Amino acid sequence: MRIVSTLKELAQLLSECTKNKSLGLIPTMGALHTGHIALVKKAIDENDLSICSIFVNPTQFNNPSDLEKYPNPLEKDLLLLEQAGCDFVFAPTKEEVYPEGYVSKDFVFGTLDKGMEGANRPGHFKGVAMVVSRLFELIKPQKAYFGEKDFQQLAIIQSMVKQAPFPVEIVPCSIVREASGLAMSSRNMRLNKLQLTAAPRVYQRLFKASKMCSSHSIFEIKTWLKNEFKNDVDLDLEYFEISNPTTLQATTNWSECDRHIACIAVFAGEIRLIDNIMLEIN
Ligand code: PAF
């Protein structure tokens, strides 16, 4: 596995190795878990070569303490990538990614960035688009792999790719869960024992909500779920939204579309967890 950290090394690596070969990119912020490794394995299967980027992108953190405490176990990450069979790793510094005077393209996301993460994390998606577009410019992959846990981020990146346009196929990858149902996330590493016992209730409630959709209205499900969290001393609900999966606009009636996406953000102490589930209406 070749590891590069400067733009010069990256350019050299790409010109030496990727001629007439398909390249799959897995953009990450490190602190890798089984969910990331599933993305890496898919990229290996679907491309001649795979490259994983590890960069804790400061421009997408609206909360300085979240950035400061973001786990960064580089040695362990490199070992996991090597074991998975990843070909290349790009682990740059902030100065390499954003040299002085660097100006990012501006993207317009319409309804996609107005609610949920967009509303609760001001500037977050601008930062995500900034770093992902930069990685696409530098690496020029044929395919790029993103987890569906960040459902809104996926929609933003798909829109960004169309706007630029970037000749890259975005490959959505299913959420990987712990046996308890908890969606895998780098932030789970920061949960203490009590929070780890409480956190699976996020998915358990989402799952129950998905089973209620044939017999309950959207309003009833939202009311039920909010009450569950009101009575839960370990978890604080930030938002629970049921939306059109294409526009990400909140829906109020099941007849508005065939499928709805239910998205949730919850705090366990100061650790923010997100998750989602597709609601199939038949
Ligand atoms: O999902 C993430 O880990 C990050 O938002 C991404 C896509 C790597 C951009 O920093």
Side-chain angles (χ1 to χ4, degrees):
M1 187 171 76
R2 272 177 73 176
I3 305 160
V4 295
S5 56
T6 66
L7 299 195
K8 204 169 153 201
E9 287 170 333
L10 176 70
Q12 193 174 344
L13 170 77
L14 296 176
S15 79
E16 273 171 29
C17 305
T18 62
K19 203 158 178 261
N20 298 327
K21 298 233 165 88
S22 62
L23 181 64
L25 167 68
I26 313 97
T28 80
M29 297 205 296
L32 304 181
H33 50 69
T34 312
H36 290 115
I37 298 304
L39 268 58
V40 173
K41 295 224 163 112
K42 200 166 162 68
I44 293 172
D45 278 355
E46 295 184 354
N47 300 275
D48 297 325
L49 293 166
S50 55
I51 180 163
C52 178
S53 61
I54 300 183
F55 177 60
V56 183
N57 173 38
T59 66
Q60 72 186 74
F61 284 81
N62 58 310
N63 175 352
S65 137
D66 192 24
L67 171 60
E68 199 184 301
K69 294 187 180 150
Y70 203 84
N72 197 358
L74 186 62
E75 290 306 312
K76 190 172 159 237
D77 287 348
L78 295 177
L79 197 67
L80 286 174
L81 290 171
E82 175 116 59
Q83 283 166 353
C86 188
D87 295 295
F88 310 130
V89 177
F90 178 47
T93 60
K94 193 172 95 193
E95 289 70 28
E96 290 286 330
V97 178
Y98 303 126
E100 238 187 89
Y102 176 74
V103 182
S104 171
K105 276 201 183 90
D106 239 345
F107 299 97
V108 178
F109 296 115
T111 54
L112 297 178
D113 66 351
K114 300 295 174 285
M116 304 189 289
E117 296 300 286
N120 288 283
R121 301 184 66 188
H124 171 64
F125 287 127
K126 199 174 157 62
V128 169
M130 186 186 286
V131 74
V132 176
S133 60
R134 181 81 173 127
L135 291 170
F136 286 173
E137 277 163 9
L138 294 170
I139 299 173
K140 298 186 180 54
Q142 277 69 53
K143 294 189 182 187
Y145 297 79
F146 295 89
E148 286 179 334
K149 181 172 75 69
D150 296 285
F151 191 87
Q152 195 173 8
Q153 167 172 282
L154 196 51
I156 293 285
I157 290 167
Q158 272 157 339
S159 162
M160 185 199 83
V161 161
K162 278 195 204 136
Q163 289 178 54
F166 287 111
V168 56
E169 183 190 334
I170 303 302
V171 184
C173 303
S174 310
I175 300 176
V176 180
R177 299 184 179 281
E178 304 284 357
S180 65
L182 176 64
M184 290 199 183
S185 162
S186 305
R187 289 187 172 85
N188 293 354
M189 287 180 195
R190 294 180 51 207
L191 295 169
N192 66 27
K193 234 175 163 179
L194 179 73
Q195 291 164 338
L196 259 179
T197 325
R201 296 203 283 272
V202 176
Y203 178 65
Q204 284 156 15
R205 287 169 190 161
L206 262 186
F207 184 75
K208 186 151 180 208
S210 77
K211 296 291 155 207
M212 288 167 75
C213 62
S214 52
S215 52
H216 292 75
S217 68
I218 291 181
F219 178 78
E220 284 166 343
I221 293 179
K222 283 185 167 179
T223 309
W224 167 78
L225 188 128
K226 279 179 192 159
N227 270 328
E228 290 287 301
F229 282 98
K230 227 182 242 165
N231 298 325
D232 191 328
V233 290
D234 303 313
L235 300 172
D236 287 319
L237 179 67
E238 184 175 55
Y239 67 76
F240 172 63
E241 205 49 86
I242 295 180
S243 312
N244 176 320
T246 310
T247 64
L248 297 188
Q249 280 179 299
T251 44
T252 49
N253 203 306
W254 295 127
S255 63
E256 284 173 45
C257 33
D258 297 339
R259 305 164 87 209
H260 300 244
I261 185 80
C263 297
I264 194 165
V266 169
F267 278 96
E270 59 170 18
I271 299 138
R272 192 168 178 277
L273 306 169
I274 62 170
D275 202 348
N276 65 74
I277 195 165
M278 193 62 83
L279 308 178
E280 309 279 351
I281 316 298
N282 34 47

